């Protein structure tokens, strides 16, 4: 296998095998230090209208009390920028010193006002000096340079104000709102995102202004991760200072989906030591965001020391592109198959037909029929507790090898071996066997499995630095050209639901982003529950988290994807209520991506690659999109969901709900 990265100099992080935070320059934001050796900072953004001083202050306080160390507030025009002073004064009067950040899109004059009031200004390089026209223009080198000169002229006053007032800045690129200039030259690629920030960064450096934090957000986790990595590499290559990184996944959505998607993107980067401040964007009240960000960050405070992971000399994985690891097909694993979900029910003795519904498979006694929903797991792991009823077609069971060997019907049942059993067994399933190993056993296993086209590896680790340890095992397989499919097995004993969700998303999502893994298996191993209902709840959670992680890493679409903005002071309708309403009517449209955006200013750009869009375009007015194309303008909000469904139907993407 040809290595992609041949030396440390080409890497995007300090180490792929040993936890180490990237060294950055510290940036002082009103006393909160981002970067350097300082702890990773938690931040979030208000959703109240910026002109509502009291409402904004009350919300800021709720956010601060939930763990927010930095608060961003939108300033769409000069009047909101000016009102930041009232918000700040009131907060200080009430004893809160949390620094404020003004969020700017399209309005340099508002930025210039805000920079004199608040501690940090966020600009979007895609729209600071450009209005998006979705035009593809052919630029010559000369006309491109002219554009850059125009930007410099527009941007320089802000840089000077920031320098003079000690105000920090975030150059915050969004995948969905790149300028027409960048799109024409680079497309909406990670490289385009990086270049978009560098255009502005060069101006800052020329002015000797360095109080800068950079972000590369996208709602597509693969693009987001690749863009941050590429940014680090380009900063090094271009001789820029090592600026701190602000991590975030845009429009992540709500509830479990929003948390999983955020953790896949943010967690993957944190694992490699990237990131100095984190904002989790959920379509929920902002005080729910900081605890999620904190849970993601806290994991690294105890990361070192961790068990040693063998160094990687040459790296065969492309960090800036998604390329699935090449595997051969075993049964329905590997090859061209989507990653599989194995759901663990092994702690439940004599599971009933009714209870197995936690795995997405339903028995309907009135019809004496089995059905499964979009999250019906591919395999159930029963361990030493075989399923005591006849398996319906399609349901497949994995058992410990010793149990499997005693079964009379072995067609839909498959054995799971440990290394010792596997090496000494002469009795195998003809088509599909599972071999469970630790990452540390990989070198020993490779010669044993090299020629086996009837086996899938179940890979697990006990290393605290789990994702990199598992990744190292994949690298060993790639180095030896061993193309066996691999399912990643993880276990989180003694944890609440939220942490299981976030950790599974980080550990397995981080691998899937890099094309590694042909399945996910969240184990009940060591779970300390004894209450049957609690275990069943855990099974249900693991099953849905399994599918959620695959979807968030964009490797298997099993449900409708909602790209909903977190809302801010620009929002024109109740995002949470509207998202819930749209979800209720459309959540059976497997694989369809629906953007739900609070305003027409940023919404169309930021809903990225949504198939359909529902965008606030005025009080009580919605504009509906198919891709980037406007289908209906200014639809009264009472009719907008029906009209959206009409558009989906006309497009042939609708099917009637078959809810169970
Ligand atoms: S799309 Fe949503 S979060 Fe973004 S500016 Fe508009 S309302 Fe605010």
């Amino acid at each position: 296998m040809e290595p992609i990265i041949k030396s440390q100099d080409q890497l995007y992080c300090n180490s792929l095998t040993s936890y180490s935070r990237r060294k950055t320059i510290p940036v002082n934001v009103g006393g909160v230090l981002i970067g350097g050796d300082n702890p990773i900072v938690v931040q979030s953004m208000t959703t109240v209208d910026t002109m509502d001083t009291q409402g904004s202050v009350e919300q800021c306080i709720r956010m601060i009390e939930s763990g927010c160390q930095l608060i961003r507030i939108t300033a769409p025009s000069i009047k909101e920028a000016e009102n930041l002073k009232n918000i700040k004064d009131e907060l200080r009067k009430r004893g809160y010193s949390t620094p404020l950040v003004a969020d700017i899109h399209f309005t340099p004059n508002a930025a210039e006002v805000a920079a004199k009031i608040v501690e940090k200004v966020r600009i979007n390089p895609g729209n600071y000096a450009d209005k998006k026209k979705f035009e593809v223009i052919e630029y010559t080198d000369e006309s491109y340079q002219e554009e850059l000169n125009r930007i410099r002229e527009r941007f320089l006053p802000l840089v000077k104000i920031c320098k003079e007032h000690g105000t920090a800045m975030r150059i915050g690129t969004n995948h969905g709102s790149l300028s027409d200039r960048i799109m024409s030259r680079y497309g909406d690629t990670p490289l385009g995102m990086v270049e978009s920030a560098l255009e502005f960064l060069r101006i800052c450096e020329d002015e000797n202004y360095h109080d800068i934090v950079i972000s590369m957000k996208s709602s597509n986790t693969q693009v987001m991760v690749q863009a941050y990595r590429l940014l680090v590499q380009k900063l090094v290559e271009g001789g820029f200072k090592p600026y701190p990184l602000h991590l975030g996944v845009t429009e992540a959505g709500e509830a479990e989906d929003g948390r999983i998607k955020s953790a896949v993107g943010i967690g993957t980067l944190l694992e490699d030591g990237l990131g100095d401040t984190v904002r989790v964007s959920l379509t929920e009240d902002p005080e729910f965001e900081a605890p999620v960000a904190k849970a993601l960050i806290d994991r690294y405070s105890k990361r070192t020391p961790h068990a040693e992971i063998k160094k990687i000399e040459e790296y065969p994985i492309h960090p800036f592109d998604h390329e699935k690891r090449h595997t051969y097909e075993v049964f329905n694993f590997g090859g061209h198959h989507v990653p599989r979900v194995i759901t663990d029910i092994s702690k439940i003795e004599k599971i009933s037909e009714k209870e197995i519904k936690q795995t997405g498979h339903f028995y309907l006694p009135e019809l004496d029929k089995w059905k499964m929903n979009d999250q019906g797991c591919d395999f159930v792991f029963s361990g030493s507790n075989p399923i005591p009823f006849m398996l319906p077609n399609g349901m497949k069971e994995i058992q410990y090898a010793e149990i499997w060997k005693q079964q009379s019907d072995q067609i839909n049942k498959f054995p799971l071996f440990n290394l010792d059993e596997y090496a000494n067994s002469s009795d195998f399933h003809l088509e599909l066997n599972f071999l469970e190993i630790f990452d540390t056993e990989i070198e020993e296993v490779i010669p044993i499995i090299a020629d086996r086209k009837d086996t899938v590896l179940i890979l697990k680790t006990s290393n605290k630095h789990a994702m990199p340890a598992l990744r190292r095992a994949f690298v060993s397989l790639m180095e030896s050209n061993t193309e066996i499919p691999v399912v990643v097995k993880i276990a989180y004993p003694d944890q609440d639901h939220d942490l299981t969700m976030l950790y599974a998303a980080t550990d397995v999502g981080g691998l899937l982003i890099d094309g590694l893994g042909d399945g996910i298996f969240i184990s009940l191993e060591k779970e300390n529950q004894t209450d049957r209902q609690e275990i069943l709840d855990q099974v249900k959670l693991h099953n849905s988290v399994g599918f959620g992680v695959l979807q968030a890493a964009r490797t298997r679409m099993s449900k409708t994807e909602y790209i909903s903005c977190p809302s801010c002071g620009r929002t024109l309708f109740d995002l949470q209520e509207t998202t819930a309403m749209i979800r209720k009517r459309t959540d059976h449209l497997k694989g369809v991506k629906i953007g739900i955006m609070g305003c027409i200013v940023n919404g169309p750009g930021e809903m990225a690659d949504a198939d359909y869009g529902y965008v606030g375009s005025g009080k009580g007015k919605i504009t509906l999109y198919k891709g980037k194309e406007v289908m209906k303008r200014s639809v009264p909000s009472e009719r907008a969901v029906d009209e959206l469904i009409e558009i989906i139907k006309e497009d042939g993407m609708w099917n009637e709900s078959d809810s169970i």
Side-chain angles (χ1 to χ4, degrees), residues 516-551:
L516 307 174
D518 304 283
I520 178 167
F521 179 176
I522 308 178
S523 168
L524 287 170
E525 219 167 83
K526 298 192 212 123
E527 296 282 359
N528 54 9
Q529 287 125 336
T530 47
D531 181 276
R532 194 171 178 96
Q533 190 51 49
E534 267 182 32
I535 301 175
L536 284 166
D537 291 346
Q538 199 79 351
V539 168
K540 188 174 183 195
L541 173 87
H542 289 181
N543 191 66
S544 88
V545 168
F547 281 98
V549 171
L550 299 185
Q551 172 128 353

Side-chain angles (χ1 to χ4, degrees), residues 105 251 565-572 575 597-600 602-603 606:
H105 296 268
E251 285 78 43
C565 80
S567 89
C568 70
R570 286 184 192 267
T571 311
L572 289 160
L575 254 154
M597 299 288 140
C599 77
I600 197 102
N602 292 324
E606 294 190 12

Side-chain angles (χ1 to χ4, degrees), residues 47-322:
T47 55
V48 172
D49 185 336
T50 309
M51 294 311 291
D52 174 0
T53 308
Q54 281 315 313
S56 295
V57 167
E58 297 297 339
Q59 192 172 52
C60 285
I61 293 172
R62 288 196 297 278
M63 290 162 70
I64 295 165
E65 284 169 356
S66 74
C68 203
Q69 297 166 280
L70 212 60
I71 292 182
R72 183 154 49 108
I73 303 176
T74 189
S77 70
I78 290 186
K79 72 177 180 354
E80 284 88 358
E82 282 167 346
N83 201 47
L84 292 173
K85 180 158 181 0
N86 296 327
I87 297 172
K88 183 174 168 179
D89 288 349
E90 182 62 21
L91 276 170
R92 301 293 176 262
K93 210 163 83 195
R94 296 212 207 168
Y96 294 94
S97 57
T98 308
L100 301 182
V101 186
D103 195 58
I104 305 291
H105 296 268
F106 300 106
T107 45
N109 49 8
E112 288 158 21
V113 171
K116 295 176 191 161
I117 299 170
V118 292
E119 288 81 0
K120 186 175 165 203
V121 177
R122 178 270 169 123
I123 60 137
N124 178 344
N127 60 28
Y128 189 75
D130 293 280
K131 290 261 178 291
K132 188 128 185 85
K133 300 192 194 91
F134 296 102
E135 280 175 0
V136 178
I137 306 159
E138 283 299 322
Y139 288 94
T140 60
D141 286 350
E142 231 175 31
S143 62
Y144 204 89
Q145 189 53 47
E146 273 168 27
E147 278 284 287
L148 294 182
N149 294 343
R150 183 178 62 79
I151 291 170
R152 174 179 290 268
E153 210 174 291
R154 201 71 199 88
F155 183 49
L156 259 186
L158 177 66
V159 175
K160 291 198 163 129
I161 292 170
C162 287
K163 256 183 97 172
E164 194 187 323
H165 288 77
T167 309
M169 183 187 295
R170 168 158 66 100
I171 302 179
T173 302
N174 267 9
H175 181 216
S177 54
L178 296 173
S179 65
D180 289 338
R181 177 183 60 264
I182 287 286
M183 290 284 276
S184 311
R185 189 157 277 201
Y186 302 96
D188 63 344
T189 58
L191 181 59
M193 292 171 69
V194 172
E195 266 307 315
S196 173
L198 294 186
E199 285 182 353
F200 283 71
L201 187 62
R202 288 187 191 104
I203 299 169
C204 295
E205 287 218 331
D206 287 350
E207 292 301 306
N208 212 11
Y209 172 66
H210 303 291
D211 292 334
I212 296 163
V213 178
I214 310 176
S215 64
M216 295 280 126
K217 296 194 189 181
S218 171
S219 72
N220 177 329
T221 51
Q222 291 181 2
V223 169
M224 176 260 188
V225 167
Q226 291 157 8
Y228 277 100
R229 290 171 173 172
L230 193 60
L231 169 69
V232 174
Q233 208 205 37
K234 293 284 174 198
L235 288 177
V236 175
E237 256 177 38
F240 294 98
K241 285 191 184 297
Y243 293 98
L245 301 181
H246 163 126
L247 304 186
V249 174
T250 49
E251 285 78 43
E254 55 174 356
E256 186 178 304
D257 290 348
R259 284 162 177 75
I260 291 177
K261 199 169 181 186
S262 301
V264 168
I266 295 168
T268 301
L269 294 163
L270 290 173
E271 286 287 321
D272 282 331
L274 304 186
D276 303 280
T277 175
V278 168
R279 191 257 168 131
V280 168
S281 314
L282 301 173
T283 309
E284 294 177 24
D285 289 338
E287 53 268 36
F288 293 110
E289 297 181 336
V292 181
K294 191 159 168 359
L296 285 172
I297 293 166
D298 279 354
R299 210 176 172 198
Y300 302 91
S301 60
K302 298 179 224 99
R303 184 52 64 97
T304 49
H306 58 78
E308 196 177 338
I309 303 169
K310 190 176 162 197
K311 280 213 168 60
I312 296 173
E313 299 302 335
E314 293 185 327
Y315 194 47
I317 296 164
H318 207 311
F320 315 127
D321 205 357
H322 178 79

Side-chain angles (χ1 to χ4, degrees), residues 411-424:
I411 299 297
N412 278 325
K413 303 182 186 205
F414 304 91
L416 174 81
F417 298 88
N418 63 31
L419 184 49
D420 200 36
E421 289 166 339
Y422 189 85
N424 295 307

